[in-house]
Amino acid sequence: MIKLTLAAARVNAGLKQEQAAKLIGVTPKTLGSYERGNTAIPGYRLKRAAEVYGIPEDMIKLPVVDDGEYDEDEKNLQVSTF
C-alpha cells in the first residue's frame, strides 16, 4: 500500500495548510508541526485529518517523533528480564 505524508495527503486533497488546519480543528502552526514531525499527532486528530483528506488513516505515513515521551501503548509495556 502506498503511504502519503501528512503534507502530501493535504496537498493531494487540494487544501492549503490554513484551510486544512481549520477543518481539522488546529492552528496552521500546529498542523505544520505535525507535518514536519516536530510534534506527534494525537490519534483523534489523525482520524479527523484522514476524513478531511478523504483517505484511510493507514495510508498516512507518520514521521518518527522523538519528543522524549512514550506513546500510550509503550507506557503499558512491561520489560521482561531473563
Side-chain angles (χ1 to χ4, degrees):
M1 171 187 295
I2 296 175
K3 291 199 172 215
L4 302 171
T5 63
L6 276 171
R10 173 180 52 77
V11 170
N12 284 350
L15 296 170
K16 294 187 180 217
Q17 197 173 58
E18 294 79 16
Q19 296 168 313
K22 186 174 183 177
L23 293 169
I24 294 168
V26 296
T27 65
K29 182 178 177 181
T30 297
L31 181 56
S33 187
Y34 294 157
E35 290 180 351
R36 288 186 304 278
N38 295 335
T39 305
I41 185 170
Y44 69 98
R45 293 279 188 219
L46 176 61
K47 181 177 181 174
R48 180 65 184 144
E51 290 170 357
V52 168
Y53 300 155
I55 61 173
E57 288 177 60
D58 62 354
M59 275 189 68
I60 298 176
K61 179 182 177 185
L62 298 175
V64 175
V65 177
D66 184 14
D67 60 2
E69 298 283 326
Y70 289 105
D71 290 338
E72 195 60 38
D73 290 340
E74 291 174 336
K75 286 181 185 177
N76 297 324
L77 290 177
Q78 294 184 5
V79 177
S80 62
T81 56
F82 294 95

